[in-house]
């Protein structure tokens, strides 16, 4: 072979290898990374998303972080403008910061151009997961995982003839899922310390955790049920007489009374996992927890099936439940935003939303939740519907983390540590929040 021939062969080989490398790089780049918390709904989403890959050829990768570390991990990723996540299913409270700091891509025009109408989703979900500023028609996320704090109860215990008779004799009405917080406390007191099947049991597992958001999610379940508000609906950030209103004080008093009378021993720093453990192990008659865990409870070998019933957060002076759940957003630092939007287009389809419910997700799409038979589709479907119609959320302000930390401290100090009075706790919270909003230039 001549030098000239060798040169031609070498060039051809180099070109071939270059094309192969380019093709491999292109194939490798046709993938998306979705970031979320590590829990059962995330696992369900992995299975469901195989359909997206089959239809588009876009591979899906995942970064799932345990709940105790989820917020810190993902918010650090956003604040550092990291490129790990193309899609992020982020908490509702993050929407203000993510929009203001441009961590998320605004999706308003994208939704309009692709006939994705927010009118097709339940209004509280759109307001909670998608919009900023609140009350606007600017969207930064697609509702992904509808959720709220609700309750499970030991249906098998409630149905026992001896317990029903004893309860009726003591309280004068039938033992059943409580209709208000007064009844909630009476039911919890009835079971507290009672022996059932040779085992001492307790009334209720409540949220009491201080480190992240637990006790706030617990107390606000009462706060909303008493009709309390954070601020004046006609004058934003005017909080005096609202966050520390008589209704708010009554709610805080009731929450502490329920904690003092009716929780298991050592339940002073409990959140989702601790409540699940207490309930699944047969320690408590009732637990508060997010509806996202209800599919797993319904299938649990120890407490599932006919052993467990579900009820929405009891009303007291108003209808209210604490919002959970998340929207799915395109991360502004992603280099694959167009492909990420393709995922949103796929996920928003009514047929996909229907599958999402079937595999254990929680859609807020009206084509699913308003369909005939939905309420009877699972043991907890009606509770899901009832809850999403009355949910309210914590502040979604850019400074939400500081607002949350202040509430965690004030509420935990009173409810668990027993420091001061409810009036002092909420007056202190008013001062904390006033200082934060003054620093933000909003007061």
């Amino acid at each position: 072979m001549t030098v000239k021939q060798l040169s031609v062969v070498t060039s051809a080989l180099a070109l071939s290898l270059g094309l192969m490398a380019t093709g491999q790089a292109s194939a490798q780049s046709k993938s998306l990374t979705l970031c979320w918390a590590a829990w059962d709904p995330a696992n369900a989403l992995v299975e469901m998303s195989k359909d997206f890959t089959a239809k588009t050829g876009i591979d899906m990768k995942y970064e799932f972080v345990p709940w105790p570390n989820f917020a810190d991990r993902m918010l650090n990723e956003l604040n550092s403008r990291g490129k790990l996540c193309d899609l992020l299913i982020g908490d509702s409270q993050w929407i203000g910061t993510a929009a203001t700091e441009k961590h998320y891509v605004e999706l308003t025009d994208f939704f309009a151009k692709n006939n994705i109408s927010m009118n097709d989703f339940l209004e509280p979900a759109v307001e909670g997961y998608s919009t900023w500023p609140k009350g606007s028609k600017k969207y930064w996320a697609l509702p992904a995982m509808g959720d709220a704090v609700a309750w499970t109860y030991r249906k098998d215990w409630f149905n026992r003839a001896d317990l029903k008779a004893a309860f009726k004799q003591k309280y004068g009405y039938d033992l059943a899922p409580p209709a208000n917080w007064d009844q909630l406390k009476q039911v919890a007191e009835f079971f507290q310390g009672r022996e059932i099947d040779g085992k001492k049991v307790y009334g209720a597992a409540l949220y009491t955790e201080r480190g992240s958001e637990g006790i706030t999610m617990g107390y606000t379940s009462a706060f909303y049920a008493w009709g309390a508000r954070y601020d004046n609906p006609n004058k934003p950030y005017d909080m005096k007489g609202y966050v520390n209103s008589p209704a708010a004080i009554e709610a805080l008093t009731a929450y502490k009374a329920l904690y003092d009378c009716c929780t298991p021993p050592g339940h002073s720093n409990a959140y989702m996992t601790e409540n699940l453990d207490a309930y699944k192990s047969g320690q408590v008659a009732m637990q508060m927890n997010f509806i996202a865990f209800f599919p797993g409870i319904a299938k649990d070998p120890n407490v599932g099936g006919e052993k467990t019933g579900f009820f929405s957060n009891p009303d007291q002076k108003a209808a209210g439940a604490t919002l959970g759940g998340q929207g799915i957003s395109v991360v502004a630092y992603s280099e694959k935003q167009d492909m990420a939007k393709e995922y949103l287009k796929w996920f928003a389809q009514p047929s996909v939303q229907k599958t999402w419910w079937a595999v254990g997700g929680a859609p807020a799409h009206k084509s699913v939740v308003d369909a005939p038979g939905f309420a009877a589709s699972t043991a907890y479907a009606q509770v899901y519907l009832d809850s999403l119609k009355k949910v309210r959320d914590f502040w979604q302000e850019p400074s939400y983390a500081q607002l949350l930390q202040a509430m965690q401290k004030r509420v935990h100090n009173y409810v668990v540590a027993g420091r001061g009075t409810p009036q002092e706790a909420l007056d202190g919270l008013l001062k904390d929040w006033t200082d934060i909003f003054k620093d933000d230039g909003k007061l």
Side-chain angles (χ1 to χ4, degrees):
M1 183 179 294
T2 66
V3 172
K4 183 176 181 180
Q5 289 173 323
L6 180 61
S7 176
V8 171
V9 171
T10 302
S11 297
L13 180 59
L15 176 61
S16 176
L17 290 172
L19 289 172
M20 287 175 61
T22 301
Q24 290 171 350
S26 176
Q28 290 172 353
S29 65
K30 200 170 183 184
S31 66
L32 293 168
T33 298
L34 186 152
C35 298
W36 198 11
W39 60 335
D40 286 346
N43 299 330
L45 187 64
V46 171
E47 291 301 311
M48 192 178 81
S49 296
K50 291 177 181 177
D51 175 68
F52 170 74
T53 298
K55 285 181 165 61
T56 64
I58 300 172
D59 290 328
M60 294 298 297
K61 300 178 181 179
Y62 304 93
E63 182 72 18
F64 295 151
V65 181
W67 273 116
N69 311 109
F70 176 60
D72 286 345
R73 175 71 179 86
M74 290 299 119
L75 293 175
N76 286 339
E77 181 69 20
L78 293 177
N79 290 330
S80 65
R81 289 162 170 72
K83 297 181 179 180
L84 169 65
C85 308
D86 301 302
L87 293 157
L88 173 59
I89 301 182
D91 270 347
S92 58
Q93 294 100 323
W94 304 356
I95 198 79
T97 299
T100 303
E101 299 296 325
K102 298 294 191 289
H103 294 320
Y104 291 167
V105 174
E106 186 179 348
L107 299 169
T108 312
D109 292 341
F110 167 73
F111 286 165
K113 290 176 182 176
N114 289 276
N115 297 316
I116 299 173
S117 174
M118 291 295 99
N119 292 329
D120 292 337
F121 294 84
L122 294 174
E123 184 178 345
V126 174
E127 181 74 2
Y129 308 140
S130 302
T131 59
W132 188 265
K134 290 299 141 186
S136 75
K137 300 295 183 182
K138 291 187 176 182
Y139 306 115
W140 304 84
L142 183 77
M145 184 72 190
D147 205 359
V149 175
W151 296 76
T152 71
Y153 72 99
R154 286 299 300 265
K155 189 175 180 181
D156 54 341
W157 298 355
F158 278 52
N159 285 337
R160 286 178 52 155
D162 57 334
L163 296 180
K164 289 169 70 174
F167 185 88
K168 183 72 173 283
Q169 182 178 14
K170 183 172 184 178
Y171 294 106
Y173 63 94
D174 291 334
L175 177 59
N180 54 48
W181 277 70
D182 291 337
Q183 291 185 5
L184 179 67
K185 184 170 184 286
Q186 289 176 340
V187 172
E189 285 176 329
F190 176 76
F191 281 102
Q192 184 73 5
R194 185 173 292 272
E195 185 175 297
I196 296 179
D197 297 331
K199 181 179 179 179
K200 188 176 182 180
V201 303
Y202 304 92
L206 305 182
Y207 287 164
T208 58
E209 180 262 1
R210 176 170 175 165
S212 61
E213 63 178 17
I215 201 164
T216 295
M217 298 297 101
Y219 164 55
T220 53
S221 295
F223 183 87
Y224 302 143
W226 258 264
R229 302 184 60 92
Y230 297 125
D231 61 353
N232 185 338
N234 300 313
K235 187 180 179 183
Y237 313 112
D238 174 19
M239 299 174 290
K240 187 175 181 179
Y242 289 89
V243 71
N244 60 344
S245 67
I249 291 168
E250 285 182 26
L252 186 55
T253 302
Y255 198 76
K256 177 172 175 54
L258 189 57
Y259 168 75
D260 286 343
C261 81
C262 305
T263 51
H267 210 72
S268 60
N269 193 35
Y271 197 18
M272 298 175 279
T273 300
E274 291 78 12
N275 279 16
L276 284 172
D277 290 344
Y279 186 77
K280 288 182 177 182
S281 65
Q283 290 186 62
V284 293
M286 300 179 291
Q287 66 147 340
M288 60 165 32
N289 225 321
F290 287 106
I291 297 171
F293 295 107
F294 289 6
I297 293 171
K299 295 183 291 187
D300 186 83
N302 295 320
V303 298
E306 289 302 309
K307 291 183 178 179
T308 284
F310 307 89
F311 60 94
S312 67
N313 188 55
D315 302 330
Q316 184 70 16
K317 295 183 176 180
T322 297
L323 181 72
Q326 302 88 25
I328 181 170
S329 300
V330 177
V331 177
Y333 315 114
S334 166
E335 296 175 349
K336 304 174 184 178
Q337 293 181 19
D338 288 342
M339 282 197 292
K341 290 177 180 178
E342 286 297 311
Y343 188 89
L344 294 188
K345 285 171 61 177
W346 169 81
F347 188 76
Q349 296 175 88
S351 60
V352 174
Q353 291 284 298
K354 184 178 180 180
T355 301
W356 186 215
W357 176 251
V359 299
H365 202 282
K366 292 177 182 177
S367 68
V368 180
V369 299
D370 289 345
F374 176 82
S377 62
T378 68
Y380 47 84
Q382 186 64 61
V383 170
Y384 178 68
L385 283 177
D386 293 343
S387 299
L388 280 195
K389 290 176 181 176
K390 62 181 182 180
V391 287
R392 291 180 56 196
D393 200 12
F394 188 72
W395 295 103
Q396 294 185 349
E397 296 286 327
S399 56
Y400 96 91
Q402 296 167 270
L403 298 164
L404 180 60
Q405 289 168 3
M407 191 166 192
Q408 284 284 108
K409 178 182 177 180
R410 295 289 185 179
V411 173
H412 195 276
N413 282 352
Y414 172 67
V415 171
V416 176
R419 299 178 191 168
T421 67
Q423 182 78 62
E424 290 169 343
L426 295 180
D427 287 349
L429 182 59
L430 172 64
K431 180 182 183 303
D432 296 339
W433 283 1
T434 299
D435 291 343
I436 292 168
F437 283 128
K438 281 182 177 178
D439 290 342
D440 286 349
K442 295 184 176 176
L443 284 175

